[in-house]
Amino acid sequence: MTATREKILDVSLKLFSERGYSAVSIRDICKCVGIKESSVYYHFENKQNIFDELLDRFSEVSKGMMAKLENGLTDRAGSFSDGLHTVSDFFFEQYLMDDFCNKVMRMMFIEQFHNENVRKQYQHRFMDEPLDFQRKIFSALMRVGVIANCDSGYLAVKYYAPIYFYAQKWLFNGDLTEESKAAFRIDAYKHIQMFLGEVGGCNG
């Protein structure tokens, strides 16, 4: 990858995440990068090509993140609460608060109202996939008797819905700052502690 190509992608993502895909032109991108329009077409076929590459990169990051979460859950040697905090830490810090991922999610949030494919991807990555992962966690814990049997899908929603809410409140509403990250951590971890107390049966 050339430095110019990477700069085009970085600038495009910033603009797309702030204004939306449709409101950004190739001219806007070139002005921010400091290059001629012809230079963009040396690296990308068109604006859609830039957008698609950003989504492809995000897809790879997201798949890798989910694989690491699965491994982290499998490899954990501590208690249920320790394991939940470990996977939550990774999901929060390496995904929701990662600069690249955060910007792509903002971009997808805007474009979901104009692009059905993006809407499906946004729902899958930000809602369906995390909920399915949590459901698997709770189902596994029920099988080994760590928590009482109940509806694992309900537990997944009960756990994840407040996190989604706090992410929207602090991480996707305005600039992603250290202050907004800190506020998210306070609310999210308070919720996790309350959730752990409610589900009961934790081994520490």
Side-chain angles (χ1 to χ4, degrees), residues 124-164:
H124 175 69
R125 298 296 181 193
F126 206 29
M127 288 180 263
D128 296 342
E129 196 168 50
L131 281 173
D132 185 57
F133 176 75
Q134 296 299 333
R135 181 187 59 76
K136 290 177 181 177
I137 290 178
F138 297 129
S139 293
L141 292 169
M142 289 175 202
R143 285 195 296 271
V144 297
V146 174
I147 59 176
N149 287 327
C150 65
D151 187 329
S152 60
Y154 170 74
L155 276 186
V157 172
K158 187 175 183 178
Y159 170 77
Y160 185 65
I163 290 173
Y164 178 84

Side-chain angles (χ1 to χ4, degrees), residues 10-24 28 32 99 102-111 172 174-176:
D10 290 344
V11 167
S12 298
L13 177 57
K14 182 178 186 298
L15 295 176
F16 292 159
S17 68
E18 293 173 348
R19 308 179 194 174
Y21 173 81
S22 301
V24 176
D28 294 329
C32 291
D99 184 65
N102 186 275
K103 285 178 181 176
V104 174
M105 289 182 206
R106 289 169 181 257
M107 177 183 78
M108 293 173 71
F109 178 79
I110 296 171
E111 287 310 306
F172 298 94
D175 294 336
L176 183 65

Side-chain angles (χ1 to χ4, degrees), residues 8-193:
I8 292 169
L9 287 167
D10 290 344
V11 167
S12 298
L13 177 57
K14 182 178 186 298
L15 295 176
F16 292 159
S17 68
E18 293 173 348
R19 308 179 194 174
Y21 173 81
S22 301
V24 176
S25 67
I26 288 291
R27 182 174 296 178
D28 294 329
I29 296 169
C30 292
K31 183 178 179 180
C32 291
V33 176
I35 58 175
K36 296 179 180 179
E37 289 189 40
S38 58
S39 297
V40 172
Y41 297 115
Y42 174 79
H43 298 281
F44 299 96
E45 183 178 344
N46 49 40
K47 187 175 73 166
Q48 183 66 49
N49 187 220
I50 298 173
F51 184 78
D52 291 342
E53 178 153 341
L54 290 169
L55 289 180
D56 287 344
R57 288 190 178 193
F58 176 71
S59 179
E60 290 304 310
V61 171
S62 183
K63 289 176 183 177
M65 185 273 303
M66 293 307 299
K68 288 179 181 179
L69 286 179
E70 294 278 2
N71 292 334
L73 183 66
T74 303
D75 296 340
R76 71 178 179 84
S79 67
F80 166 44
S81 59
D82 289 340
L84 192 58
H85 274 92
T86 298
V87 296
S88 296
D89 287 344
F90 190 85
F91 184 74
F92 296 164
E93 304 293 333
Q94 304 299 319
Y95 195 56
L96 298 181
M97 290 188 279
D98 174 77
D99 184 65
F100 172 76
C101 292
N102 186 275
K103 285 178 181 176
V104 174
M105 289 182 206
R106 289 169 181 257
M107 177 183 78
M108 293 173 71
F109 178 79
I110 296 171
E111 287 310 306
Q112 67 175 320
F113 303 107
H114 313 290
N115 185 315
E116 179 64 13
N117 180 55
V118 173
R119 185 194 68 77
K120 290 179 179 178
Q121 289 190 58
Y122 178 82
Q123 180 170 320
H124 175 69
R125 298 296 181 193
F126 206 29
M127 288 180 263
D128 296 342
E129 196 168 50
L131 281 173
D132 185 57
F133 176 75
Q134 296 299 333
R135 181 187 59 76
K136 290 177 181 177
I137 290 178
F138 297 129
S139 293
L141 292 169
M142 289 175 202
R143 285 195 296 271
V144 297
V146 174
I147 59 176
N149 287 327
C150 65
D151 187 329
S152 60
Y154 170 74
L155 276 186
V157 172
K158 187 175 183 178
Y159 170 77
Y160 185 65
I163 290 173
Y164 178 84
F165 170 79
Y166 290 131
Q168 292 294 335
K169 179 179 180 181
W170 295 115
L171 305 181
F172 298 94
N173 184 18
D175 294 336
L176 183 65
T177 63
E178 291 305 314
E179 290 77 12
S180 63
K181 291 178 182 179
F184 170 77
R185 292 186 188 104
I186 290 171
D187 283 343
Y189 285 114
K190 180 180 179 181
H191 156 65
I192 291 174
Q193 287 303 116

